Amino acid sequence: MSNNTIYTPFRVDHVGSFLRPKELKEARAAFSKGTIEAEELKSTEDRLITQLINQQKAHGLHALTDGEFRRSYWHLDFMWGFGGVEHIELEHGYQFHGEETTKGSIRLTGKISGEHHPIVDHFKFVKQFEEPGFIAKQTIPAPAQFLAELFRGDNTLNTKRVYPDLLELEHDIAVAYQTVIRDLHAAGCHNIQLDDCTWGMIVDDSFWRSKLSSAFSLRTEAERYLRINNLAIENHPEDLVINTHICRGNYHSTYASQGPYDRVAPYVFAQENVDGYYLEFDDDRSGGFEPLQSVPEDKRVVLGLVTTKSPVLEERDTLLRRIEDASKYVSLDRLYLSPQCGFASCEIGNKLSEAEQWAKIDLVRQIAEEVWG
């Protein structure tokens, strides 16, 4: 890799999304109603993203993102940017623990392609703020997440209509992602993060209870998600780091699924061809650290020990003890620290204030400095 570029993860890191300021929410709502033009919305987004990036630097974050301020969802807006994909509203949103999300989804209008994806221009805006010690990283949903969305509810019949051959579907998804990855790299991107809830979904027992009458199995689903993720990042540039973030859902301080990593570790940890893992470990829903022994020795693990779902600050001694526990399975020099997820995976955001959000980031920095210097 280039000696002139720095790569994620950092000892003090974050997943990528931040709480949307009130002004941003109001501007996006006005645009959706047609009361302001696209240029005015973009101007507001640009200004508030600039402020956010300055805050990230001030709080000691070396990986810079736009906070996903130009998105309604962490995943769907990116999917809508592909050729052959349109924005639809379903009858129901995702069912989270005690709350239903908003109802956006995707539908195929033709074959999938990745040319001229708007995320490339979004990255270019953040890229201009790089300086020694600070780099831009781009967060995008994992290919497996895109595949899963195409088989969500009523989408299934339409997806099979456009792609009767499911291997052709996987091929076209992979090629579309390769196109976007190549274009991001040409724009100067050296750090991409694939956000992925599919692994958290298939470890949840309630998910399988809903599939009892189908031919699905954990093995077939895991192999499918592993295959599509690896195909999409195949032959990526050598000076491009690709990490993944694994989550069990993050919406308005609620979660979608629960279950330890044990059953998927032989797939995603042992075989996914990424450079590192940002892992949710903020509560009992994630299980213990034992599955980390499946992570190869040339890969890194970012411990998501600080929750974004609550404003309550974690205890210093608890965090130090948990890092020590994790180091029994992955050596301390390959461990890093971050919040377990973003602060606003969707526009609604989690139930804490911006001041409480930055207090969480400061806690991550303080603990990381104490552990790693």
Side-chain angles (χ1 to χ4, degrees):
M1 294 191 176
S2 168
N3 292 327
N4 298 320
T5 304
I6 56 176
Y7 302 95
T8 53
F10 296 96
R11 298 297 182 193
V12 183
D13 218 314
H14 64 111
V15 169
S17 69
F18 288 91
L19 294 171
R20 312 309 200 255
K22 180 182 178 182
E23 182 184 359
L24 178 62
K25 290 183 178 181
E26 291 175 346
R28 291 181 60 85
F31 175 72
S32 68
K33 294 175 183 176
T35 57
I36 66 171
E37 299 296 325
E39 286 188 7
E40 185 176 348
L41 173 61
K42 183 179 183 302
S43 176
T44 301
E45 289 173 340
D46 288 352
R47 175 169 49 81
L48 294 175
I49 290 169
T50 300
Q51 292 177 12
L52 173 69
I53 289 172
N54 288 333
Q55 287 177 295
Q56 290 175 66
K57 290 180 177 181
H59 285 269
L61 294 176
H62 298 277
L64 308 176
T65 73
D66 63 5
E68 301 178 4
F69 278 15
R70 303 189 200 274
R71 307 186 213 177
S72 300
Y73 300 86
W74 63 276
H75 58 328
L76 296 178
D77 296 69
F78 177 82
M79 297 174 192
W80 296 330
F82 283 123
V85 176
E86 68 174 349
H87 175 179
I88 64 168
E89 295 289 313
L90 296 175
E91 186 175 345
H92 294 285
Y94 301 95
Q95 188 57 56
F96 273 55
H97 186 71
E99 187 165 351
E100 184 178 330
T101 72
T102 49
K103 301 172 184 178
S105 188
I106 62 176
R107 181 168 57 201
L108 295 182
T109 59
K111 301 298 185 181
I112 300 164
S113 62
E115 293 80 8
H116 312 298
H117 198 290
I119 203 77
V120 178
D121 284 336
H122 298 174
F123 171 79
K124 289 177 181 177
F125 185 82
V126 180
K127 175 76 176 176
Q128 68 180 309
F129 297 98
E130 288 187 340
E131 58 179 303
F134 297 94
I135 54 92
K137 81 168 178 178
Q138 185 60 56
T139 64
I140 61 176
Q145 195 72 46
F146 183 30
L147 181 65
E149 189 69 25
L150 289 172
F151 291 91
R152 177 181 163 207
D154 294 339
N155 293 343
T156 300
L157 289 177
N158 181 68
T159 299
K160 289 182 177 180
R161 178 185 62 80
V162 179
Y163 282 99
D165 182 345
L166 297 186
L167 289 179
E168 182 188 1
L169 170 62
E170 292 182 14
H171 171 270
D172 283 5
I173 291 174
V175 170
Y177 266 84
Q178 289 170 6
T179 299
V180 175
I181 289 170
R182 182 175 63 248
D183 290 348
L184 282 168
H185 182 257
C189 183
H190 295 280
N191 295 271
I192 289 176
Q193 178 183 300
L194 303 176
D195 296 323
D196 201 342
C197 289
T198 59
W199 303 105
M201 175 179 67
I202 64 175
V203 299
D204 189 303
D205 289 338
S206 63
F207 172 80
W208 292 110
R209 284 196 293 272
S210 72
K211 298 286 186 182
L212 284 178
S213 61
S214 74
F216 289 100
S217 70
L218 185 140
R219 177 177 177 178
T220 57
E221 288 295 275
E223 289 179 344
R224 188 183 188 202
Y225 295 146
L226 178 66
R227 181 171 63 248
I228 189 68
N229 284 345
N230 281 342
L231 280 173
I233 62 178
E234 196 172 55
N235 299 320
H236 68 269
E238 287 189 6
D239 62 344
L240 173 63
V241 160
I242 298 181
N243 300 312
T244 190
H245 165 240
I246 298 175
C247 181
R248 292 163 181 78
N250 187 55
Y251 181 87
H252 206 207
S253 292
T254 63
Y255 63 88
S257 61
Q258 56 189 337
Y261 294 100
D262 304 58
R263 289 181 287 177
V264 295
Y267 305 97
V268 64
F269 291 168
Q271 299 182 66
E272 189 161 305
N273 296 328
V274 293
D275 296 289
Y277 300 89
Y278 290 70
L279 299 177
E280 183 179 53
F281 274 117
D282 62 326
D283 63 22
D284 292 342
R285 289 181 304 110
S286 303
F289 296 122
E290 293 83 358
L292 294 181
Q293 60 194 324
S294 296
V295 177
E297 292 186 359
D298 61 342
K299 299 186 179 185
R300 294 159 289 184
V301 172
V302 185
L303 299 172
L305 301 179
V306 173
T307 192
T308 65
K309 297 182 186 295
S310 164
V312 178
L313 288 175
E314 286 76 1
E315 294 288 338
R316 166 189 171 275
D317 290 348
T318 299
L319 293 176
L320 293 175
R321 185 185 71 251
R322 298 203 71 204
I323 294 171
E324 182 180 1
D325 289 346
S327 70
K328 297 172 184 175
Y329 305 98
V330 175
S331 60
L332 191 62
D333 64 301
R334 291 194 292 124
L335 291 177
Y336 304 76
L337 186 63
S338 78
Q340 112 285 349
C341 196
F343 291 93
S345 299
C346 299
E347 273 185 317
I348 189 172
N350 282 345
K351 297 176 183 178
L352 69 171
S353 68
E354 289 187 43
E356 290 164 339
Q357 165 185 267
W358 292 112
K360 292 277 183 172
I361 294 294
D362 290 341
L363 176 63
V364 170
R365 187 189 71 246
Q366 292 159 10
I367 296 297
E369 289 174 352
E370 184 169 350
V371 174
W372 290 283

